[in-house]
Amino acid sequence: MSEISRITTGLGLSLSSAALLVIMWPSFGNLWWLCFIAFVPMYAAQYRVLPRRWSAVPVATAFAGYYLGLLMHIASALSVGVIIGGALAFGFIGLVVGVFLRPFAERTGYRWFVVQFGLLWVAIDLLLQDNEFDGTYLWIAYRLADLPQIVQPISITGAPALSLLLHVVNAAMALVVISLLDRRWPQWADTVVPRRALAWSVVIPVVVMIAWTGTSLAIFHDVSDRMGPRVRVATVQPGLDNTFPGTLASADFSHGRSQEERIKDQIAQLSAMTRAASAQGAKVAVWPEETLDYDPRVSHPDWIPALVRQTGVYLAMGFTPDAANDAAPNTALLWSPAGEVVAVYYKTMRVLTAGEAFTPGRVYPAVPTPQGVLGMVICFDMDFPNGPTRRTVLNGAQMVLSPSLDLPSKVDIRKSMAVFRAVENRVALVKADVAWDSMLVAPNGEVITGTAVHDELGGQALLVADVPLGPRGAPFTHYGDAPFQWLEYAATAALLCVMAVSWRRTASSVRRR
């Protein structure tokens, strides 16, 4: 094969990895199983098909493709220029990382091959995990949210450990492919993969994957058996007809009505939907984030107390006292059937792409009720594993109620957040959205019911279902992912040290010649 043919084929393989990394995202195919093999074409191009001087290009292409998929999921809040620029920026990071990988693998006889790329990728994930632009959306482990039966060990290790395992599986499969290419085109290999390195690079990942899967199935059945009493819960998804101006960037759903007329219609709608939920037996109801653009304890103070007394529900609902002010506190209240506020929660994590500038809350209430111990978080709070959900469960919550306000481009990816937070902490999670993606998730990660409206105009829905209380007790709740995180950082630091030492030894050897 000529060099031009090799370059053409290698670039094609690089682009195929980028394409696979896009179509495995929920909104673009949801082919979750690709997360086990999507990087293999990249590896083949990087280590064999492309000439050595081109070896960083496949890594850059894979980075750009994966992060393009991520950024398109939050397209509702980003411009096309930001999406493309962001993908190119991450592609540049991949280019820098890729420069060092092939030379290092060849210098060390492929001994570190199955972990070197994964360690660097997951270290970047962990370094970015607290950002308030897109949270942890980027974690590749989330692609397995539709298979709660095999993600359960994250309740011990945290999700980044699963991300690393997926990378290791990809690398092990790629090393087998590279070895086969060496048999067919030995002239492409500057350093042939040693048999011993190939053997342990395949055997160890297979053993770890079997152990992970077996442990996961055992935990899944244990949590399923120990889930507490079922509580009938309702999520009220009112749609956009009566939402307040300011909910969306340029929203105005007044339809010629005055503010008071809109509020009157909104009260009538929310009251009717909550009564309908109560008529179906609901004991807990959740309304969306920023449902009201006023504090219901101050303005129109009588209707919610009267509603909860009439329906007998515990009601979690969100409001902001000033919709036009991004610095206004984003608040959730938990009302008891006696008509009293029994918990107040202030949103902790700000969505910077939406302009939120409020002072973050720092209190995570968990309220004992006849329906179990109830906690609250608000929307974006749910996207941070070590954040509010975990802290609320640590305070005793068996069910976490999440008033939320998403955008249509986020509908599919947000399901992953709900499933993973439920599994990590072994609690139920109930999410009520304004118009797009409400859901009820069991403590074992199974989605009991949910909505997924992709239309920009959203939709109205009332979900009522029996949700089991969580058994809690997950190690992750107590320790977070700190043990794995520091192990990952230590392993990455050790890898970088080995890379530096191997490079210096090679440079010294070249100089002596």
Side-chain angles (χ1 to χ4, degrees):
M1 186 181 292
S2 68
E3 183 169 348
I4 293 178
S5 297
R6 287 181 63 184
I7 291 173
T8 302
T9 303
L11 292 178
L13 288 169
S14 303
L15 290 172
S16 69
S17 259
L20 297 178
L21 289 166
V22 170
I23 64 176
M24 75 179 183
W25 283 88
S27 294
F28 311 119
N30 199 28
L31 303 180
W32 57 265
W33 52 272
L34 289 175
C35 65
F36 292 97
I37 62 172
F39 291 99
V40 174
M42 176 203 78
Y43 278 115
Q46 178 188 8
Y47 284 87
R48 287 299 180 267
V49 180
L50 283 173
R52 199 169 190 270
R53 65 183 181 276
W54 287 70
S55 66
V57 173
V59 183
T61 306
F63 264 77
Y66 185 79
Y67 285 94
L68 177 64
L70 164 68
L71 293 169
M72 287 194 296
H73 270 89
I74 51 177
S76 300
L78 301 175
S79 68
V80 174
V82 170
I83 292 172
I84 295 175
L88 292 176
F90 279 103
F92 179 76
I93 293 173
L95 188 69
V96 173
V97 170
V99 166
F100 301 97
L101 293 177
R102 179 170 173 175
F104 174 68
E106 292 172 345
R107 288 196 302 267
T108 56
Y110 292 86
R111 289 192 298 274
W112 309 100
F113 181 85
V114 295
V115 296
Q116 61 186 40
F117 181 61
L119 284 173
L120 294 172
W121 183 292
V122 175
I124 293 172
D125 284 352
L126 288 169
L127 289 171
L128 297 177
Q129 68 175 323
D130 292 323
N131 80 86
E132 291 182 304
F133 290 95
D134 55 18
T136 60
Y137 290 173
L138 66 161
W139 287 2
I140 197 169
Y142 290 147
R143 308 294 79 77
L144 297 179
D146 288 335
L147 297 174
Q149 295 86 348
I150 68 169
V151 304
Q152 298 294 318
I154 66 170
S155 64
I156 302 172
T157 64
L162 179 54
S163 292
L164 180 59
L165 178 57
L166 291 172
H167 275 287
V168 168
V169 170
N170 271 269
M173 297 180 69
L175 200 58
V176 172
V177 171
I178 290 169
S179 298
L180 294 175
L181 291 175
D182 286 348
R183 294 183 183 181
R184 177 65 180 84
W185 292 284
Q187 70 273 19
W188 289 358
D190 295 307
T191 302
V192 175
V193 179
R195 290 186 178 181
R196 179 176 295 181
L198 176 63
W200 77 258
S201 296
V202 173
V203 171
I204 292 179
V206 168
V207 170
V208 173
M209 192 67 195
I210 291 172
W212 177 283
T213 303
T215 301
S216 187
L217 292 172
I219 295 174
F220 180 82
H221 289 295
D222 177 63
V223 172
S224 299
D225 291 342
R226 294 190 299 111
M227 290 191 297
R230 290 180 175 269
V231 178
R232 184 152 292 189
V233 179
T235 58
V236 174
Q237 181 174 304
L240 301 178
D241 284 346
N242 296 308
T243 193
F244 62 87
T247 300
L248 306 173
S250 58
D252 181 3
F253 299 100
S254 60
H255 303 300
R257 297 169 294 180
S258 68
Q259 174 77 338
E260 285 304 312
E261 288 173 331
R262 182 191 61 79
I263 290 176
K264 181 179 178 181
D265 291 342
Q266 184 184 51
I267 290 173
Q269 180 192 21
L270 293 171
S271 297
M273 294 182 76
T274 305
R275 290 191 190 100
S278 175
Q280 296 179 51
K283 300 299 181 183
V284 177
V286 187
W287 293 355
E289 176 185 9
E290 299 182 351
T291 308
L292 310 179
D293 59 338
Y294 56 87
D295 186 337
R297 297 167 297 182
V298 177
S299 182
H300 306 279
D302 299 325
W303 74 281
I304 292 181
L307 178 65
V308 293
R309 282 194 292 264
Q310 179 188 30
T311 57
V313 300
Y314 280 87
L315 173 65
M317 51 78 61
F319 75 90
T320 180
D322 184 358
N325 181 6
D326 290 327
N330 192 328
T331 313
L333 304 176
L334 182 64
W335 298 79
S336 75
E340 301 172 345
V341 174
V342 293
V344 181
Y345 176 81
Y346 296 100
K347 190 175 183 180
T348 300
M349 308 305 295
R350 297 165 295 189
V351 185
L352 298 183
T353 54
E356 291 185 334
F358 54 79
T359 300
R362 289 291 181 265
V363 178
Y364 309 96
V367 181
T369 77
Q371 315 306 328
V373 183
L374 305 178
M376 292 184 293
V377 299
I378 298 177
C379 198
F380 196 43
D381 290 339
M382 191 171 59
D383 299 3
F384 297 85
N386 293 299
T389 304
R390 173 177 162 258
R391 295 172 184 272
T392 300
V393 177
L394 196 60
N395 286 340
Q398 297 170 288
M399 178 181 291
V400 178
L401 313 176
S402 178
S404 298
L405 192 168
D406 285 329
L407 295 172
S409 64
K410 295 182 180 181
V411 165
D412 300 302
I413 197 172
R414 295 280 292 160
K415 172 186 173 182
S416 304
M417 307 300 150
V419 169
F420 270 64
R421 300 299 86 80
V423 172
E424 285 165 350
N425 298 285
R426 300 175 187 169
V427 296
L429 198 145
V430 179
K431 177 182 182 296
D433 190 68
V434 170
W436 292 285
D437 60 336
S438 302
M439 66 192 72
L440 293 83
V441 183
N444 61 8
E446 291 188 326
V447 177
I448 297 169
T449 186
T451 60
V453 181
H454 295 86
D455 192 289
E456 291 284 340
L457 297 178
Q460 179 178 314
L462 177 65
L463 303 179
V464 182
D466 293 330
V467 181
L469 296 174
R472 303 175 60 248
F476 180 86
T477 302
H478 295 280
Y479 305 110
D481 64 15
F484 175 82
Q485 179 175 341
W486 289 110
L487 181 63
E488 157 71 23
Y489 286 155
T492 303
L495 173 70
L496 294 174
C497 288
V498 172
M499 293 175 78
V501 169
S502 70
W503 176 81
R504 292 188 62 180
R505 286 177 177 174
T506 301
S508 297
S509 176
V510 170
R511 284 196 297 270
R512 284 196 296 270
R513 292 175 188 173

